[in-house]
Amino acid sequence: MISAVKHRSSRLLASLALALGVTGLLAGCQPTAFGSAQVAKARTTLANGALTVAAPKGWCVDPKSLRNSGAGGFALFGNCAAISRNAEDAHAPEPALLSVTVGPPALEDGSGKLSRDRLKKIGDFFHSEIGRAALSRSGEAGDVTIKGTDIADGTLLLRVEDRSGTGGPPIAKTYLRGVTALGGRITALSVMPLKEGELSYAQQRQLLEKFIAAIRAAN
C-alpha cells in the first residue's frame, strides 16, 4: 500500500498544482492489504492536526495508509473488524472502502463552501488527459473515463471508471469521488465498492454524504 500511496500522491499533487494554482494536495490511495492494529480507530487528524477525519460507524482507519504533513494528508478507511482483526469489532454496513485526502486551505465563498465556479474548474481538470492520468491507478489517462459529473451542495461529484489493476483486494472499476471544502481545506473523498454492482450510484452518493457529515461533526 505504501508504494501505491507515494506514487499516486505525487502524480495528483503535481497535476492539481497546475490546475488549481495550489500545492500540497495529495492523491487518493489504491488499497492493497490492510495494516493491523490492536484497536481499530474511527478517526484521526491530518494536515498536522488541522483537520480531524472520521468515517460513518463501521469504518475505521487503516494505520498503514496514513500520510500526514502540514500541506495535507491521506487516510483509508475499511471495515473495523478487518482492520483490528477482531470479529467482535464494528462491521461496515456496506461493502466499500472510503478514502479522504486533505489538501491546502480552500478559497471558500460567503457560505463557507468552494464556489461553483471553482468546483467546475476542478471538474474540467479531471476531464483532461493529465487529470485522468492523476486519477488512474496505472498512471495512464486511457485507463480512466469520467462517466458523470455533478455539483451539489458545495461538492463536486465525479463518477470515475478506472480499468487499470489495483494490485490489492478486488474493488469495483467504477467508484464515486467528491471534492469539497471541509474545515477550511480542499478535501477529496472516495467511496470504492468492493465489487462491481454491489452499490448503486445513489447508494454511493448517500454514503459519501454520510462520510462528509461525519467529518464535519468531528470538527
Side-chain angles (χ1 to χ4, degrees):
M1 156 148 315
I2 300 302
S3 177
V5 172
K6 288 181 179 178
H7 286 100
R8 186 120 177 276
S9 295
S10 298
R11 288 202 307 271
L12 197 53
L13 166 59
S15 300
L16 285 177
L18 291 173
L20 306 179
V22 298
T23 59
L25 185 57
L26 305 175
C29 161
Q30 296 310 315
T32 58
F34 283 133
S36 60
Q38 293 182 342
V39 178
K41 297 181 179 180
R43 63 176 59 193
T44 189
T45 59
L46 297 177
N48 286 348
L51 185 70
T52 298
V53 294
K57 185 177 180 180
W59 281 273
C60 290
V61 178
D62 174 9
K64 291 185 69 175
S65 74
L66 293 174
R67 295 193 71 192
N68 196 6
S69 72
F74 173 86
L76 179 72
F77 292 81
N79 187 306
C80 292
I83 297 289
S84 65
R85 301 183 182 180
N86 176 5
E88 296 182 358
D89 208 340
H91 289 261
E94 294 167 295
L97 300 178
L98 308 176
S99 73
V100 57
T101 302
V102 178
L107 298 177
E108 301 168 337
D109 62 18
S111 67
K113 300 175 182 178
L114 287 174
S115 70
R116 189 175 184 87
D117 181 64
R118 188 164 174 79
L119 288 172
K120 185 179 182 302
K121 289 179 180 178
I122 296 173
D124 290 343
F125 162 72
F126 280 120
H127 277 83
S128 71
E129 184 173 357
I130 192 170
R132 288 182 289 111
L135 288 172
S136 175
R137 289 183 283 269
S138 67
E140 298 294 332
D143 287 337
V144 167
T145 300
I146 306 297
K147 302 188 73 173
T149 306
D150 192 14
I151 296 175
D153 194 28
T155 301
L156 169 69
L157 300 168
L158 297 168
R159 191 162 177 250
V160 181
E161 181 185 31
D162 188 348
R163 297 174 294 278
S164 51
T166 66
I171 59 172
K173 293 179 181 178
T174 303
Y175 69 96
L176 182 62
R177 179 179 286 265
V179 179
T180 191
L182 291 172
R185 293 269 179 159
I186 298 175
T187 307
L189 310 98
S190 295
V191 173
M192 299 172 282
L194 295 180
K195 292 182 181 179
E196 207 70 41
E198 281 195 315
L199 291 177
S200 67
Y201 172 73
Q203 289 173 311
Q204 291 178 54
R205 183 164 175 171
Q206 185 178 47
L207 181 51
L208 181 69
E209 290 169 354
K210 290 179 181 178
F211 193 12
I212 291 172
I215 296 175
R216 291 195 192 281
N219 290 275

